[in-house]
Amino acid sequence: MLYTIVMMVCMTAAPQTCEQREEMADGLAMNPGVAFMQAQPLVAHWLETHPGYVVQRWRVLPGRGS
């Protein structure tokens, strides 16, 4: 199932500088609770590939897409 991971990310050097980022995730479980658990490694990977940012909060929304 297609989901959108919505993250509020802030710069580590300027914690007051935050923005919302959206990443598409396909193939997660239809059950929202299971999909949330499956998305955790995707959020961790995003952090690894975007040094200088911290994720303040995130959520998984089903059926979103641009």
Side-chain angles (χ1 to χ4, degrees):
M1 182 169 181
L2 181 64
Y3 285 90
T4 301
I5 301 171
V6 180
M7 300 176 284
M8 179 60 65
V9 299
C10 303
M11 297 179 67
T12 54
Q16 70 281 6
T17 305
C18 302
E19 61 187 59
Q20 181 173 297
R21 296 279 181 106
E22 296 186 3
E23 297 288 324
M24 302 307 295
D26 195 13
L28 301 181
M30 291 189 70
N31 179 300
V34 175
F36 184 82
M37 291 188 305
Q38 291 175 329
Q40 289 176 351
L42 301 175
V43 174
H45 178 71
W46 189 93
L47 277 171
E48 289 173 1
T49 58
H50 293 83
Y53 285 92
V54 62
V55 175
Q56 289 292 329
R57 62 184 174 271
W58 64 278
R59 60 190 168 152
V60 178
L61 300 175
R64 280 185 72 178
S66 319

